[in-house]
Amino acid sequence: MFLVRLLTNPKYFWILAVCVILGDAILSELIIRFIAYTEIDWETYMIQVQLYLKGERDYSKISGPTGPLVYPAGHVYIFRFLHDITDSGKDIRFAQHLYALLYVGSVALTCAIYGKAGNTPNWLLLILPLSKRLHSLYMLRLFNDCWSVVAVQAAILAFQNEMDDIGTVLFSVALSVKMSILLYLPALLVILVKRHGIVYTFRKISNIIGMQAMLAYPFLQKDWRAYVNYAFDFSRVFLYQWTVNWRMIPEDIFLSKGWARGLLIGHLSVLVIFGLSRWCKKDGGVWAVLNRAIRRPTLPAGIAPVTPNDVATFMFTSNLIGLVFARSLHYQFYSWYAQQVPFLVWRTKYPVFLRLLLVGTIEYAWNIYPSTTISSSALLGTNILVIAGVWFAT
């Protein structure tokens, strides 16, 4: 039966993928047409761009109704372009259609990543268009997170195809929009060292830093401290009232430095656990990889090839670990991993019913506004179950 083959046979993967992409494009148009737009940060982006166009290059003096400019320079250039083609930001409907194109592009890239990685049933693609919150973040909220997500998806696809030079450039583009892309960096370092060795990896990281400096040059020239402090503020504390995670934690603890340090230690510890026991397992363990990397710095440190499945699993897991230990998650942050959840859940060995329940619970938690103790606890517990499932499965 053709429908069964379409849903299960890898040969028909892209037929189903094209149907999903086209169907989601139609759904996106219907959302724009029939659901009201909600202003949150778009106006602020436009006002910040107007200050930039007037000649302001001091990051500490660029601000808008919802706060100061706290994103790297790539964000400024993207929204300057959007400012120019949307009548200074007043043509919201046109901006929504641009975001719809961006969203459809993200779905296409997600399908490509799934297809390249393999080991997932075709029908899993049918889950991708079902996220109410994700459609809202793109077409009804116009958040800048969406641009960094699409860039890092393109980077992951490039790394899957062993186009590591291009992948590094795309990764840097994503980082120039949101510093949250740094959550992928631990897995990227493992991939590059295993494929190419320490020297190549150091050169690529230097390229990423150099590209950030090049894009930020006008701002660095004016006041480099202001730029670094605002665009890459690792000590930034979000308001408790907007957090989606950790709602079960009292506000005084949530805002404390001790809590922040504890989350950082937890984040680094789980990354180390994956690095030591999982990401280098096929190469004889992390110490064997490090030994080869030090002895032969210009040669690959891995023995087994880094497969497309490895690339997606490592990168997605690294990102999710960072999200679990994030001090605060706001609703737009769901875009950082919404399309990765089905893939990671299908890397576990849980029963199919439980896998679907995990996907549904994560979507439920991100659609509760404002968040509650129950929704935050469900989100945290589900994310931890996904990470644990991936760890045991690998």
Side-chain angles (χ1 to χ4, degrees):
M1 184 177 178
F2 176 73
L3 181 59
V4 174
R5 293 196 298 270
L6 182 66
L7 296 176
T8 60
N9 191 328
K11 294 181 179 180
Y12 294 86
F13 177 88
W14 273 106
I15 296 177
L16 182 60
V18 170
C19 293
V20 168
I21 294 167
L22 292 177
D24 217 351
I26 295 171
L27 177 60
S28 299
E29 177 61 30
L30 293 174
I31 289 171
I32 293 172
R33 181 167 299 185
F34 294 108
I35 302 179
Y37 163 79
T38 301
E39 172 56 44
I40 298 181
D41 282 339
W42 175 262
E43 181 184 3
T44 291
Y45 298 158
M46 294 299 107
I47 291 174
Q48 291 169 347
V49 166
Q50 288 165 10
L51 290 172
Y52 168 78
L53 292 173
K54 290 177 181 178
E56 186 58 71
R57 297 295 183 269
D58 185 341
Y59 248 56
S60 65
K61 297 179 181 178
I62 302 178
S63 187
T66 59
L69 177 56
V70 291
Y71 312 115
H75 160 89
V76 177
Y77 302 136
I78 288 173
F79 282 89
R80 176 189 175 170
F81 171 73
L82 294 174
H83 176 276
D84 291 344
I85 64 174
T86 59
D87 188 21
S88 301
K90 292 189 286 290
D91 192 346
I92 298 295
R93 182 54 62 89
F94 183 48
Q96 287 182 281
H97 282 100
L98 291 175
Y99 266 80
L101 288 174
L102 185 68
Y103 170 75
V104 172
S106 77
V107 175
L109 286 169
T110 301
C111 291
I113 291 170
Y114 280 35
K116 189 68 179 178
N119 299 324
T120 52
N122 297 1
W123 61 263
L124 197 63
L125 299 181
L126 298 176
I127 295 177
L128 297 178
L130 300 182
S131 175
K132 174 184 175 182
R133 177 62 68 184
L134 190 60
H135 285 95
S136 173
L137 296 176
Y138 276 84
M139 276 76 74
L140 303 180
R141 304 295 190 271
L142 309 182
F143 283 115
N144 70 332
D145 304 73
C146 306
W147 297 91
S148 64
V149 167
V150 171
V152 82
Q153 287 175 330
I156 291 170
L157 185 60
F159 290 127
Q160 284 184 306
N161 286 281
E162 299 187 26
M163 302 165 64
D164 294 349
D165 292 343
I166 295 174
T168 302
V169 172
L170 291 168
F171 182 89
S172 191
V173 169
L175 180 59
S176 77
V177 181
K178 295 280 290 192
M179 85 170 181
S180 59
I181 298 302
L182 289 172
L183 296 179
Y184 293 96
L185 188 59
L188 177 58
L189 292 175
V190 171
I191 292 167
L192 294 181
V193 169
K194 288 174 65 172
R195 276 184 173 172
H196 304 285
I198 289 180
V199 172
Y200 176 93
T201 302
F202 180 79
R203 189 165 67 246
K204 290 296 121 180
I205 297 303
S206 299
N207 290 345
I208 291 173
I209 295 172
M211 188 169 176
Q212 299 307 307
M214 179 186 69
L215 292 170
Y217 178 74
F219 307 105
L220 294 172
Q221 188 179 39
K222 179 67 176 180
D223 188 340
W224 69 268
R225 289 184 180 85
Y227 178 80
V228 173
N229 288 337
Y230 280 85
F232 294 94
D233 183 6
F234 292 97
S235 62
R236 185 182 178 194
V237 180
F238 292 99
L239 294 176
Y240 180 73
Q241 69 183 92
W242 300 117
T243 189
V244 180
N245 61 338
W246 305 123
R247 181 66 69 183
M248 73 294 293
I249 302 298
E251 186 172 3
D252 58 333
I253 296 177
F254 176 87
L255 297 174
S256 68
K257 292 183 178 179
W259 178 248
R261 285 193 293 268
L263 290 174
L264 178 60
I265 292 171
H267 183 189
L268 295 177
S269 299
V270 176
L271 284 174
V272 168
I273 290 172
F274 268 86
L276 289 175
S277 64
R278 291 298 179 263
W279 290 344
C280 298
K281 188 175 182 180
K282 294 188 294 184
D283 305 283
V286 66
W287 304 118
V289 171
L290 289 175
N291 181 51
R292 285 190 292 270
I294 294 170
R295 288 191 297 105
R296 307 179 304 176
T298 61
L299 297 176
I303 297 175
V306 181
T307 66
N309 178 45
D310 291 335
V311 170
T313 303
F314 293 178
M315 296 287 273
F316 290 174
T317 304
S318 181
N319 183 47
L320 179 55
I321 292 170
L323 287 167
V324 166
F325 290 98
R327 189 172 184 178
S328 179
L329 295 177
H330 288 188
Y331 286 94
Q332 62 267 34
F333 297 175
Y334 186 38
S335 64
W336 298 0
Y337 82 124
Q339 294 163 317
Q340 301 172 9
V341 169
F343 181 94
L344 286 176
V345 168
W346 248 258
R347 287 299 172 271
T348 73
K349 294 182 179 180
Y350 297 139
V352 172
F353 171 76
L354 179 56
R355 297 182 200 182
L356 293 174
L357 182 62
L358 291 174
V359 174
T361 302
I362 290 174
E363 177 69 18
Y364 152 81
W366 284 98
N367 278 281
I368 298 300
Y369 175 81
S371 64
T372 65
T373 297
I374 293 176
S375 67
S376 287
S377 299
L379 179 63
L380 176 63
T382 306
N383 285 337
I384 290 174
L385 280 174
V386 174
I387 292 174
V390 172
W391 190 85
F392 283 110
T394 54

